[in-house]
Amino acid sequence: MSVSTERKNQRQDLAWAIAVGGILAVSFAALLIFAWEFAATLFLIFSGVLLGVALTAMTNLLKKVMPGPHAVRLLVICLLLATMMAGIFTLGGSTIAQQATALSGTIKSQIVNLKTFLESYGFDASYLDLNTISPTSPRTSTTPATTPALPNMQHNLPSAGALASGGGAIVSQTLKLILGTVGAVGNFFIVLFLGLAFAAQPGVYRKGLIAMSPRAIRPQIETVIDRIGSTLERWLIAQMITMTVVFVVTWLGLLVVGIPGAFILGVQAGLLTFIPTVGALLGGLIIVLASISSGWVAIGSAFVLLLGVHALESYILTPIIQREAIDIPPATLFAFQILLGVVFGVWGLALALPVMAVVKVILVYLREDRPKPIEA
């Protein structure tokens, strides 16, 4: 091969490498922009995938005692979950509603007391205002009672512009409430549908993801997908056990202490356990606020109970159950939570741990030393 031909080939290889690098850079930038613009939709889909993984994990556990078709076991799991939810709402629906109303009133009154306490020491607590008085609200008049009311009536009646503005505000708030409710219900059914679809035919979606990848790396993609699925299954089963234990212990403990709304406080503590670190802090704050009205003994008892539940979760349940599923240092997890929470809001905060689990599986696989193919 001549020198000119070799240089020509080198230039072609360099041009090809630059072109491929440019295409990859542009594709990665486009992927980041897409993820940023449609983050809520991607998190919604990821929630559906998590539900599908959870249903699949429970279906696989049921296989140990109930052999048979996958669809039949999935149907049994769905019926059991639906029956359990219906029983909770049927037997405890009124209790939950009453306790939720009482708890809301208690927390609001404690916030008002906190605002008064801060203002008495010169702190600005206007951000704690729960009821803002509008400029057009009626005020106490100092006019003597003997003053005729009829001549002043025209000054007390709102103008047509004020009526139109108030009506527009009411319609706007009503539309926001309706759209928010419809959006929440719609998101719930989207996650439910995706979860059932993924759980009904997990093999089909697994094969589809593998088929969409380049043929040269399909074995590696298959290994990564299987590891991600196994990790998420173990973590979700461990998380459901942890949430159930936290709910039962918190509920019974608050019931013994005598704090009102023990059941709903236990429910919120169990649900917030799904969000590591931040969820426990938020649940503890709500319980402390709810116990203030019962006196200092109740506050101290509730605080001791929270310490006990935290110790149970952090030093017994997590090391025994969670560490077998996913082992992520608490500081790393908290930093990742804060990052996703600031960037993506509630979705990022709630799903930080499973997202980090997926990232960890991929990074661990890329770091592994795999034997190189033997060249002939």
Side-chain angles (χ1 to χ4, degrees):
M1 182 182 296
S2 62
V3 177
S4 60
T5 304
E6 184 177 355
R7 289 180 178 176
K8 181 179 180 181
N9 292 335
Q10 290 177 354
R11 287 195 297 269
Q12 289 178 350
D13 293 340
L14 179 60
W16 175 253
I18 293 174
V20 172
I23 293 173
L24 291 177
V26 172
S27 301
F28 183 71
L31 181 62
L32 288 180
I33 295 174
F34 177 82
W36 177 268
E37 293 293 333
F38 300 97
T41 304
L42 294 177
F43 277 119
L44 192 66
I45 296 174
F46 186 65
S47 301
V49 172
L50 284 180
L51 178 60
V53 171
L55 292 175
T56 303
M58 289 186 284
T59 304
N60 293 336
L61 288 177
L62 186 61
K63 186 178 181 180
K64 297 179 180 180
V65 296
M66 181 183 171
H70 176 82
V72 175
R73 294 197 305 274
L74 178 61
L75 179 61
V76 171
I77 291 294
C78 293
L79 290 177
L80 287 176
L81 292 176
T83 302
M84 182 178 66
M85 295 299 296
I88 291 175
F89 282 107
T90 300
L91 299 177
S94 59
T95 303
I96 292 175
Q98 293 173 1
Q99 292 185 359
T101 304
L103 179 62
S104 176
T106 300
I107 292 177
K108 286 181 179 180
S109 64
Q110 299 307 326
I111 291 177
V112 171
N113 293 337
L114 177 62
K115 176 178 179 294
T116 305
F117 175 79
L118 292 176
E119 289 179 343
S120 64
Y121 284 91
F123 292 98
D124 182 14
S126 57
Y127 53 89
L128 294 176
D129 285 337
L130 297 178
N131 297 317
T132 303
I133 302 176
S134 62
T136 58
S137 59
R139 301 180 182 273
T140 304
S141 177
T142 58
T143 306
T146 56
T147 304
L150 187 58
N152 294 329
M153 186 177 297
Q154 58 180 348
H155 300 290
N156 294 329
L157 291 176
S159 63
L163 288 174
S165 177
I170 294 175
V171 172
S172 176
Q173 294 298 324
T174 304
L175 286 177
K176 287 182 179 179
L177 178 62
I178 294 175
L179 292 177
T181 304
V182 171
V185 174
N187 290 340
F188 170 77
F189 281 106
I190 288 174
V191 172
L192 183 62
F193 173 77
L194 290 176
L196 291 174
F198 289 138
Q201 295 178 314
V204 173
Y205 298 99
R206 175 181 174 275
K207 292 179 181 178
L209 287 175
I210 296 172
M212 288 190 298
S213 61
R215 186 180 299 273
I217 60 172
R218 282 181 185 175
Q220 291 84 352
I221 296 296
E222 182 178 0
T223 302
V224 171
I225 290 176
D226 291 341
R227 288 188 183 183
I228 290 175
S230 177
T231 300
L232 290 179
E233 281 188 8
R234 295 198 309 270
W235 173 74
L236 284 169
I237 292 296
Q239 194 73 1
M240 285 188 286
I241 295 174
T242 304
M243 292 169 65
T244 303
V245 172
V246 170
F247 156 65
V248 173
V249 173
T250 305
W251 172 36
L252 296 180
L254 293 177
L255 201 61
V256 171
V257 172
I259 295 177
F263 182 78
I264 192 170
L265 287 172
V267 170
Q268 63 87 24
L271 292 177
L272 288 174
T273 306
F274 185 84
I275 306 175
T277 309
V278 179
L281 293 176
L282 182 59
L285 177 62
I286 294 175
I287 291 176
V288 170
L289 287 175
S291 63
I292 291 177
S293 61
S294 300
W296 290 105
V297 176
I299 296 175
S301 302
F303 187 72
V304 171
L305 176 64
L306 291 177
L307 292 179
V309 172
H310 177 71
L312 174 66
E313 177 189 357
S314 301
Y315 301 108
I316 298 179
L317 296 178
T318 299
I320 294 177
I321 301 176
Q322 292 282 13
R323 192 163 294 173
E324 295 297 326
I326 176 175
D327 187 12
I328 297 178
T332 305
L333 173 60
F334 185 68
F336 194 72
Q337 269 189 293
I338 297 301
L339 175 63
L340 290 187
V342 171
V343 176
F344 300 111
V346 178
W347 282 109
L349 191 65
L351 300 177
L353 184 54
V355 170
M356 195 170 186
V358 173
V359 173
K360 181 184 177 182
V361 170
I362 296 174
L363 293 178
V364 168
Y365 179 80
L366 294 176
R367 237 180 21 241
E368 288 179 352
D369 295 328
R370 287 176 292 278
K372 297 180 180 180
I374 301 176
E375 297 181 358

